[in-house]
Amino acid sequence: MHVFDLPQAPLQPLNLPWLQKAQVEAAILRLDLIDPLISGNKWFKLRHHLQQASTRKAPGLISLGGNHSNHLHALAAAGKRFGFATAGLLRGHAQETPTVRDLQALGMELHWLGYGGYRARNEPEFWAPWQARYPGWHCIPEGGGGPAGAQGCALIMQQARAQIAALGWSDYDAWWLAAGTGTTLAGLVQAEAGAHAVHGALAVPRDHGVPETVAALAGAPGYQIHDASRGGFGKFDDELLAFVAECELRSGVPLEALYTGKALLALRDQVEAGLFAPGTRLIFVHTGGLQGRRGYL
């Protein structure tokens, strides 16, 4: 096995009352189970970056995120495991969270950018001072986004397809997953090339530029984006938390509210609105990120 090859995520039946009532079959691809630290879709988004850094013999990896960032958490763990130094550029001002403590324990050097400094992350000159400070390091876009991240996420389709026969399915009709940066969504659209529909439940406001990112990365039609932000980035409410708790109880699958939980609630709403005909078979992607639950529990 190549050092950056990906473990297999199990594909499991997802039985919930509102799916059964609508006669919609669903299976959940448990990306949360592929690795205890490099969890979920983050593994896929980082894979090609790790390969590129290894080929170039880069001494370190540097990227951006917030103080509960699943992406930085996975990056710090990958750096420690595969022998790269890591640095994280964080939104806002220094504060201690369970995630931040993990980043430090995993050896990541942290730089707090404030809010204005973080907003400048998409400016053309943003990376120049960091490349000067960390010469030769591999720079990774926020959330592992960009073409390399999408290319890695195309492998998610292969993992699911290898297991559908074990469910007794001959095929499936569509995908449903949370969209934060849109990279995973774009990777699946690329991989499907129109063969199956891909539905992204947008966990952040539309003005974050996700639809534009997906359009640029996917390069193909065959997808829909549904609003699931519930008022903003990182926002949750009592209805969402109660829904997550009920689904966990009924399915036995641990969820987090900010991405997978929002996506599942948006799926319920669309199923109840009749978006999918009886007999539809859906693959729902659990994108991991369970470490982030510590930020709101």
Side-chain angles (χ1 to χ4, degrees):
M1 180 188 258
H2 189 282
V3 69
F4 302 129
D5 281 349
L6 298 156
Q8 178 70 59
L11 183 66
Q12 303 171 343
L14 182 62
N15 298 312
L16 293 166
W18 42 273
L19 289 167
Q20 294 164 344
K21 183 179 179 182
Q23 299 177 51
V24 171
E25 288 187 75
I28 182 168
L29 187 63
R30 297 286 305 276
L31 300 187
D32 58 306
L33 294 178
I34 60 173
D35 190 274
L37 289 175
I38 313 172
S39 171
N41 61 337
K42 310 303 176 288
W43 204 182
F44 295 84
K45 291 200 280 187
L46 287 174
R47 182 177 188 261
H48 283 66
H49 286 291
L50 292 169
Q51 288 177 327
Q52 291 169 8
S54 179
T55 299
R56 292 176 39 230
K57 294 183 169 52
L61 310 165
I62 183 169
S63 193
L64 311 95
N67 57 28
H68 303 295
S69 171
N70 296 315
H71 165 65
L72 287 184
H73 197 269
L75 181 66
K80 187 171 183 65
R81 185 174 306 175
F82 299 124
F84 296 101
T86 55
L89 311 179
L90 281 90
R91 179 177 61 247
H93 305 288
Q95 56 183 294
E96 187 171 301
T97 69
T99 302
V100 168
R101 287 195 294 271
D102 282 357
L103 298 182
Q104 292 169 327
L106 289 164
M108 177 175 273
E109 189 170 347
L110 305 184
H111 302 276
W112 296 87
L113 302 183
Y115 293 99
Y118 199 80
R119 279 194 295 271
R121 65 193 181 281
N122 296 318
E123 299 297 325
E125 68 278 5
F126 174 81
W127 283 106
W130 299 108
Q131 288 169 329
R133 180 165 183 160
Y134 295 102
W137 283 37
H138 184 75
C139 300
I140 300 175
E142 181 182 28
Q151 189 179 358
C153 288
L155 298 170
I156 293 171
M157 183 191 73
Q158 297 175 16
Q159 291 218 350
R161 282 192 177 178
Q163 300 177 76
I164 60 168
L167 295 173
W169 295 4
S170 58
D171 200 358
Y172 56 95
D173 298 295
W175 293 85
W176 191 283
L177 68 154
T181 65
T183 306
T184 307
L185 172 61
L188 282 172
V189 174
Q190 281 182 16
E192 285 287 1
H196 300 89
V198 184
H199 294 266
L202 188 58
V204 300
R206 281 187 176 265
D207 62 9
H208 281 217
V210 174
E212 294 79 8
T213 297
V214 175
L217 287 176
Y223 66 92
Q224 292 184 46
I225 295 177
H226 308 266
D227 179 33
S229 68
R230 304 193 68 80
F233 174 67
K235 299 288 187 183
F236 55 88
D237 51 60
D238 290 343
E239 181 190 359
L240 173 61
L241 294 178
F243 172 79
V244 166
E246 181 186 359
C247 289
E248 286 184 335
L249 191 64
R250 289 185 177 274
S251 69
V253 176
L255 303 167
E256 51 74 43
L258 301 185
Y259 294 99
T260 303
K262 284 183 176 182
L264 195 58
L265 181 53
L267 175 60
R268 186 205 67 182
D269 291 346
Q270 291 296 332
V271 165
E272 291 182 343
L275 178 63
F276 299 109
T280 297
R281 287 172 167 167
L282 297 175
I283 298 176
F284 180 87
V285 182
H286 191 315
T287 52
L290 295 176
Q291 72 83 27
R293 295 196 299 182
R294 300 173 298 174
Y296 64 83
L297 289 178

